[in-house]
């Protein structure tokens, strides 16, 4: 059966209503390039926003732990549907089976995190300068949150946003990537099971908008949506940020990465080779945290390149459903064009050490490319994020220079160093070190856990999602002062007696 039709069978099983299909976006599987039935485009965006605003009025009145109960039920439904949803992620985004399962696990994990959080939306007690006064800081629900998600994490990144937003008291409007509408509809169907069990949730608490760029623009421009959380390219993020800023809304951006690894002379090279393999070629190089630049100390660069070449040579590329396959397809032909152009340019600027070929089969399957750049500087090619499995390898002489090079790109998402030197590791993690949102030691740059705040600086957009105190972005901070005295002292000692 064509992969796109297989996906349809799963959607039917998950209870996606027949009305979801119709005139609108085509569905597609990158596994074999097959087209499925189109999904209906959302016609009336105005009523989606209106429903969300109405839902907010009711949802914010429920106590946060009760809101957490909905997310707890959602986590249960996800556990029950894990295999189906993971299979869909594989069929629609092309991830290998284990990564598809991992993506759904990431959703389950954030559910658990959000449930705990629903009892821990802590504020502060502040010291008032006035006698007989209490001052505190409280976090209040914010309002409808728009989540714009990308094809490469078609469901997990929505879940990071949605689970936090829901416990914070905010309804969610989801505009998934045009490339992955089916996983979004499936997730919505699973969420609705949790809603039914929950009972008294307002209508329109979570809605999916199927559509293209225009739909996203209309939503982003609407002042009834106080927060827009967008994941995708820097180009898209810039547009969204400007639209949202023009109406003084808030945006939370998780955009491009150009993530690096430094391999120091003392590094455990076995570990480093394995880390490079997962982070540079996993998800066919289509994670925002994918390793794209490698700086290896010149004393070990030769042997490291050799070992990497061997690893790259034996990479199983193919149908992501097959056991043993580690590299699935690129999402579409446009992704291939970008891959081809960058690999060809890289071969001119440096040496194409291994990979770069396209496999002769339906779908876009490529051999991940390793390009040696020697001791050259970083050109525009290297500074640009090509969303494909291409790794540029440089040799470095001096650790400070390696850090400087790793920071000398417009993006600032993830970074890592492989070293056994405490000095190097601690320098990398210091203010003189990595300028990224994520900095790791003896771990690759991708595959972050949900418990940490996820995001990065510069062209990556500056937003933080998922763990730590990222929840605060989904709430409104309120400073409260209460006078329990029988006097009315003014702050700063101002006198105003009438
Ligand atoms: C993304 O590629 O948009 O750290 C998110 C990781 C994943 C999330 C990636 N947990 O690679």
């Amino acid at each position: 059966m064509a992969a796109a039709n297989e996906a349809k069978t799963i959607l039917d099983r998950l209870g996606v209503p027949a009305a979801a299909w119709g005139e609108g976006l085509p569905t597609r599987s990158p596994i074999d390039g097959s087209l499925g039935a189109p999904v209906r485009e959302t016609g009336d965006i105005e009523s989606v926003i209106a429903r969300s605003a109405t839902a907010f009025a009711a949802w914010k009145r429920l106590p946060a732990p009760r809101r957490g109960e909905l997310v707890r039920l959602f986590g249960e439904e996800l556990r029950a549907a894990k295999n189906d949803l993971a299979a869909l992620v594989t069929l629609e985004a092309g991830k290998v089976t284990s990564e598809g399962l991992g993506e759904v696990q990431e959703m389950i994990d954030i559910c658990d995190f959000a449930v705990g959080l629903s009892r821990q939306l802590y504020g502060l007690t502040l010291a008032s300068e006035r006698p007989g006064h209490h001052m505190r800081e409280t976090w209040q629900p914010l309002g409808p949150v728009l989540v714009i998600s990308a094809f490469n994490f078609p469901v997990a990144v929505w879940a990071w946003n949605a689970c936090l937003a829901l416990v914070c008291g905010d309804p969610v409007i989801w505009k998934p990537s045009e490339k992955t509408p089916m996983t979004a509809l499936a997730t919505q169907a699973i969420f609705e099971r949790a809603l039914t069990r929950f009972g008294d949730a307002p209508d329109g608490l979570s809605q999916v908008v199927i559509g293209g760029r225009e739909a996203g623009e209309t939503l982003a421009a609407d002042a009834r949506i106080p927060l827009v959380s967008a994941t995708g390219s820097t180009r898209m993020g810039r547009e969204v940020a400007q639209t949202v800023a023009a109406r003084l809304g808030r945006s939370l951006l998780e955009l491009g990465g150009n993530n690096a690894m430094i391999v120091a002379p003392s590094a455990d090279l076995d570990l480093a080779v394995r880390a490079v393999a997962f982070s540079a070629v996993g998800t066919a190089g289509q994670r925002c945290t994918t390793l794209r630049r490698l700086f290896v100390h010149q004393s070990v660069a030769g042997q490291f390149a050799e070992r990497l070449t061997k690893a790259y040579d034996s990479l199983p590329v193919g149908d992501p459903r097959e056991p043993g396959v580690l590299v699935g397809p690129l999402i579409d032909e446009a992704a291939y064009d970008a891959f081809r152009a960058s690999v060809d340019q890289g071969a001119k600027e440096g040496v194409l050490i291994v990979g770069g070929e396209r496999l002769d089969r339906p779908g876009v399957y490529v051999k991940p490319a390793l390009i040696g750049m020697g001791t050259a500087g970083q050109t525009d090619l290297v500074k640009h994020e090509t969303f494909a499995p291409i790794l540029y390898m440089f040799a470095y002489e001096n650790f400070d220079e390696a850090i400087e090079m790793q920071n000398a790109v417009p993006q600032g998402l993830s970074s890592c160093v492989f070293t056994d030197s405490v000095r190097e590791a601690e320098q990398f993690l210091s203010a003189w070190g990595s300028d990224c949102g994520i900095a790791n030691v003896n771990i690759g740059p991708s595959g972050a856990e949900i418990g940490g705040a996820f995001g990065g600086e510069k062209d990556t957009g500056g937003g933080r999602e998922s763990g730590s105190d990222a929840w605060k972005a989904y709430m409104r901070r309120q400073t409260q002062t209460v006078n329990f005295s029988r006097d009315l002292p003014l702050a700063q000692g101002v006198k105003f007696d009438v």
Side-chain angles (χ1 to χ4, degrees), residues 247-262:
R247 60 171 176 87
L248 302 183
R250 244 190 241 176
S251 47
L252 203 174
L253 303 172
E254 204 259 281
L255 312 175
N258 196 348
N259 317 295
M261 178 190 292
I262 298 174

Side-chain angles (χ1 to χ4, degrees), residues 206-413:
S206 163
Q207 302 175 82
V208 178
V209 169
I210 299 293
R213 194 186 155 138
E214 251 167 59
E217 279 167 6
T218 307
L219 288 160
D222 200 290
R224 285 167 291 179
I225 301 174
L227 175 66
V228 177
S229 175
T231 302
S233 68
T234 296
R235 186 196 53 72
M236 178 280 296
R238 219 170 243 129
E239 283 175 18
V240 167
Q242 284 170 12
T243 304
V244 177
R247 60 171 176 87
L248 302 183
R250 244 190 241 176
S251 47
L252 203 174
L253 303 172
E254 204 259 281
L255 312 175
N258 196 348
N259 317 295
M261 178 190 292
I262 298 174
V263 179
S266 65
D268 179 332
L269 296 187
D270 288 333
L271 224 61
V273 168
R274 281 164 53 202
V276 170
F278 171 66
S279 54
V281 312
T283 329
Q286 301 171 109
R287 286 194 190 216
C288 53
T289 49
T290 291
L291 176 66
R292 310 207 179 276
R293 298 175 299 133
L294 181 60
F295 302 102
V296 186
H297 189 265
Q298 58 183 19
S299 63
V300 287
Q303 53 162 309
F304 199 70
E306 234 168 76
R307 292 172 75 163
L308 267 188
T309 309
K310 220 187 259 169
Y312 267 62
D313 258 336
S314 62
L315 279 175
V317 181
D319 188 324
R321 295 169 295 188
E322 272 170 31
V325 166
L326 294 178
V327 183
L330 293 185
I331 191 71
D332 55 19
E333 290 294 334
Y336 177 70
D337 293 344
F339 173 80
R340 181 79 277 135
S342 293
V343 171
D344 291 349
Q345 180 62 22
K348 278 188 209 146
E349 294 181 16
V351 180
L352 176 58
I353 300 174
V354 61
E357 308 90 349
R358 180 170 182 172
L359 270 51
D360 183 18
R361 56 180 292 168
V364 180
Y365 292 85
V366 298
K367 292 196 173 167
L370 177 62
I371 298 176
M373 307 297 284
T375 53
Q378 300 180 99
T379 57
D380 288 349
L381 172 74
V382 174
K383 291 185 175 178
H384 167 86
E385 178 195 41
T386 304
F387 215 59
I390 304 171
L391 180 60
Y392 304 104
M393 179 175 162
F394 295 84
Y396 79 87
E397 207 182 316
N398 163 300
F399 191 65
D400 288 339
E401 268 166 34
I403 292 181
E404 217 172 281
M405 276 182 89
Q406 99 112 43
N407 290 344
V409 291
Q411 309 85 350
L413 179 55

Side-chain angles (χ1 to χ4, degrees), residues 106 152-153 157 160 231 254 287-289 446-448 454:
E106 198 160 339
N152 68 323
F153 270 82
V157 172
W160 296 351
T231 302
E254 204 259 281
R287 286 194 190 216
C288 53
T289 49
S446 74
F454 185 93

